[in-house]
Short mmCIF file of all heavy atoms in Angstrom, two decimals:
data_model
loop_
_atom_site.label_atom_id
_atom_site.label_comp_id
_atom_site.label_asym_id
_atom_site.label_seq_id
_atom_site.Cartn_x
_atom_site.Cartn_y
_atom_site.Cartn_z
N ASP A 505 7.04 -27.87 -34.62
CA ASP A 505 6.82 -29.22 -35.11
C ASP A 505 8.04 -29.70 -35.89
O ASP A 505 8.44 -30.87 -35.79
CB ASP A 505 5.58 -29.26 -36.01
CG ASP A 505 4.31 -28.97 -35.24
OD1 ASP A 505 4.31 -29.16 -34.01
OD2 ASP A 505 3.31 -28.57 -35.87
N GLU A 506 8.62 -28.80 -36.68
CA GLU A 506 9.80 -29.16 -37.45
C GLU A 506 10.96 -29.51 -36.54
O GLU A 506 11.74 -30.42 -36.79
CB GLU A 506 10.18 -28.00 -38.38
CG GLU A 506 11.28 -28.31 -39.36
CD GLU A 506 10.84 -29.25 -40.47
OE1 GLU A 506 9.64 -29.60 -40.53
OE2 GLU A 506 11.71 -29.66 -41.25
N CYS A 507 11.07 -28.77 -35.42
CA CYS A 507 12.11 -29.05 -34.43
C CYS A 507 11.92 -30.45 -33.86
O CYS A 507 12.89 -31.21 -33.72
CB CYS A 507 12.05 -28.01 -33.31
SG CYS A 507 13.14 -28.33 -31.92
N ASP A 508 10.69 -30.82 -33.57
CA ASP A 508 10.42 -32.16 -33.05
C ASP A 508 10.81 -33.22 -34.06
O ASP A 508 11.36 -34.28 -33.71
CB ASP A 508 8.93 -32.30 -32.70
CG ASP A 508 8.55 -31.49 -31.48
OD1 ASP A 508 9.45 -31.12 -30.72
OD2 ASP A 508 7.35 -31.24 -31.30
N ARG A 509 10.50 -32.94 -35.32
CA ARG A 509 10.84 -33.92 -36.37
C ARG A 509 12.35 -34.12 -36.47
O ARG A 509 12.85 -35.24 -36.56
CB ARG A 509 10.28 -33.45 -37.71
CG ARG A 509 10.41 -34.47 -38.83
CD ARG A 509 9.83 -33.93 -40.12
NE ARG A 509 10.61 -32.83 -40.64
CZ ARG A 509 11.72 -32.99 -41.38
NH1 ARG A 509 12.17 -34.21 -41.67
NH2 ARG A 509 12.38 -31.95 -41.83
N ILE A 510 13.11 -33.00 -36.40
CA ILE A 510 14.56 -33.10 -36.49
C ILE A 510 15.12 -33.82 -35.28
O ILE A 510 16.04 -34.63 -35.38
CB ILE A 510 15.17 -31.68 -36.61
CG1 ILE A 510 14.74 -31.05 -37.93
CG2 ILE A 510 16.69 -31.73 -36.51
CD1 ILE A 510 15.14 -29.59 -38.07
N ARG A 511 14.54 -33.53 -34.10
CA ARG A 511 14.99 -34.21 -32.90
C ARG A 511 14.80 -35.71 -33.01
O ARG A 511 15.67 -36.50 -32.62
CB ARG A 511 14.23 -33.66 -31.69
CG ARG A 511 14.59 -34.33 -30.37
CD ARG A 511 13.88 -33.68 -29.21
NE ARG A 511 12.44 -33.76 -29.34
CZ ARG A 511 11.58 -33.17 -28.52
NH1 ARG A 511 12.03 -32.43 -27.53
NH2 ARG A 511 10.28 -33.28 -28.70
N GLU A 512 13.68 -36.13 -33.55
CA GLU A 512 13.41 -37.56 -33.69
C GLU A 512 14.39 -38.20 -34.67
O GLU A 512 14.85 -39.33 -34.47
CB GLU A 512 11.97 -37.77 -34.17
CG GLU A 512 11.53 -39.22 -34.18
CD GLU A 512 11.61 -39.87 -32.81
OE1 GLU A 512 11.37 -39.17 -31.80
OE2 GLU A 512 11.91 -41.08 -32.76
N ILE A 513 14.74 -37.46 -35.73
CA ILE A 513 15.71 -37.98 -36.69
C ILE A 513 17.06 -38.19 -36.02
O ILE A 513 17.72 -39.21 -36.20
CB ILE A 513 15.84 -37.02 -37.89
CG1 ILE A 513 14.56 -37.05 -38.73
CG2 ILE A 513 17.04 -37.39 -38.75
CD1 ILE A 513 14.52 -36.02 -39.84
N HIS A 514 17.48 -37.20 -35.21
CA HIS A 514 18.76 -37.31 -34.52
C HIS A 514 18.74 -38.48 -33.53
O HIS A 514 19.74 -39.21 -33.40
CB HIS A 514 19.06 -36.01 -33.77
CG HIS A 514 19.65 -34.95 -34.66
ND1 HIS A 514 20.93 -35.01 -35.15
CD2 HIS A 514 19.12 -33.78 -35.12
CE1 HIS A 514 21.18 -33.94 -35.88
NE2 HIS A 514 20.10 -33.18 -35.89
N ARG A 515 17.63 -38.65 -32.83
CA ARG A 515 17.53 -39.75 -31.89
C ARG A 515 17.66 -41.10 -32.61
O ARG A 515 18.34 -42.01 -32.15
CB ARG A 515 16.20 -39.69 -31.15
CG ARG A 515 16.14 -38.64 -30.06
CD ARG A 515 14.76 -38.60 -29.47
NE ARG A 515 14.69 -37.71 -28.33
CZ ARG A 515 13.56 -37.31 -27.76
NH1 ARG A 515 12.40 -37.74 -28.25
NH2 ARG A 515 13.57 -36.50 -26.73
N THR A 516 16.99 -41.20 -33.75
CA THR A 516 17.04 -42.45 -34.52
C THR A 516 18.46 -42.73 -34.99
O THR A 516 18.95 -43.86 -34.91
CB THR A 516 16.09 -42.37 -35.72
OG1 THR A 516 14.76 -42.11 -35.26
CG2 THR A 516 16.12 -43.66 -36.52
N ARG A 517 19.14 -41.68 -35.45
CA ARG A 517 20.52 -41.85 -35.93
C ARG A 517 21.43 -42.28 -34.80
O ARG A 517 22.29 -43.16 -34.97
CB ARG A 517 21.02 -40.56 -36.55
CG ARG A 517 20.38 -40.25 -37.90
CD ARG A 517 20.84 -38.91 -38.41
NE ARG A 517 20.23 -38.59 -39.70
CZ ARG A 517 20.35 -37.41 -40.31
NH1 ARG A 517 21.06 -36.44 -39.73
NH2 ARG A 517 19.78 -37.20 -41.47
N ARG A 518 21.25 -41.68 -33.60
CA ARG A 518 22.10 -42.05 -32.47
C ARG A 518 21.87 -43.51 -32.08
O ARG A 518 22.79 -44.24 -31.76
CB ARG A 518 21.82 -41.14 -31.27
CG ARG A 518 22.25 -39.70 -31.47
CD ARG A 518 22.45 -38.99 -30.13
NE ARG A 518 21.30 -39.09 -29.26
CZ ARG A 518 20.27 -38.25 -29.27
NH1 ARG A 518 20.26 -37.25 -30.15
NH2 ARG A 518 19.28 -38.38 -28.42
N SER A 519 20.59 -43.91 -32.12
CA SER A 519 20.26 -45.29 -31.78
C SER A 519 20.88 -46.26 -32.78
O SER A 519 21.42 -47.31 -32.42
CB SER A 519 18.74 -45.47 -31.73
OG SER A 519 18.41 -46.80 -31.44
N GLU A 520 20.81 -45.90 -34.06
CA GLU A 520 21.39 -46.76 -35.10
C GLU A 520 22.90 -46.84 -34.97
O GLU A 520 23.50 -47.90 -35.15
CB GLU A 520 20.99 -46.23 -36.48
CG GLU A 520 19.51 -46.39 -36.79
CD GLU A 520 19.13 -45.74 -38.12
OE1 GLU A 520 19.99 -45.02 -38.68
OE2 GLU A 520 17.99 -45.94 -38.56
N ASP A 521 23.53 -45.69 -34.64
CA ASP A 521 24.98 -45.67 -34.47
C ASP A 521 25.40 -46.59 -33.32
O ASP A 521 26.38 -47.32 -33.41
CB ASP A 521 25.48 -44.25 -34.22
CG ASP A 521 25.38 -43.39 -35.47
OD1 ASP A 521 25.25 -43.96 -36.57
OD2 ASP A 521 25.41 -42.15 -35.34
N ARG A 522 24.64 -46.51 -32.21
CA ARG A 522 24.97 -47.37 -31.07
C ARG A 522 24.80 -48.84 -31.43
O ARG A 522 25.58 -49.71 -31.00
CB ARG A 522 24.09 -47.00 -29.87
CG ARG A 522 24.49 -45.71 -29.16
CD ARG A 522 23.82 -45.60 -27.81
NE ARG A 522 22.38 -45.49 -27.91
CZ ARG A 522 21.73 -44.34 -27.97
NH1 ARG A 522 22.41 -43.20 -27.92
NH2 ARG A 522 20.42 -44.30 -28.06
N GLY A 523 23.79 -49.13 -32.26
CA GLY A 523 23.55 -50.51 -32.67
C GLY A 523 24.69 -51.05 -33.53
O GLY A 523 25.10 -52.21 -33.39
N ARG A 524 25.24 -50.19 -34.39
CA ARG A 524 26.34 -50.63 -35.22
C ARG A 524 27.58 -50.91 -34.39
O ARG A 524 28.33 -51.84 -34.66
CB ARG A 524 26.65 -49.56 -36.27
CG ARG A 524 25.57 -49.35 -37.31
CD ARG A 524 26.04 -48.49 -38.44
NE ARG A 524 24.95 -48.08 -39.31
CZ ARG A 524 24.35 -46.91 -39.24
NH1 ARG A 524 24.76 -46.03 -38.34
NH2 ARG A 524 23.36 -46.62 -40.06
N LYS A 525 27.84 -50.06 -33.36
CA LYS A 525 29.01 -50.25 -32.52
C LYS A 525 28.92 -51.56 -31.74
O LYS A 525 29.93 -52.24 -31.51
CB LYS A 525 29.15 -49.07 -31.55
CG LYS A 525 29.52 -47.77 -32.24
CD LYS A 525 29.60 -46.63 -31.26
CE LYS A 525 29.94 -45.33 -31.98
NZ LYS A 525 30.02 -44.17 -31.04
#
Side-chain angles (χ1 to χ4, degrees):
D505 294 338
E506 188 71 5
C507 173
D508 289 341
R509 187 180 68 83
I510 295 173
R511 178 176 60 186
E512 187 59 34
I513 291 173
H514 279 288
R515 283 176 174 168
T516 301
R517 288 176 180 173
R518 292 202 307 273
S519 178
E520 291 175 350
D521 290 343
R522 285 195 295 268
R524 293 191 191 99
K525 291 178 181 179

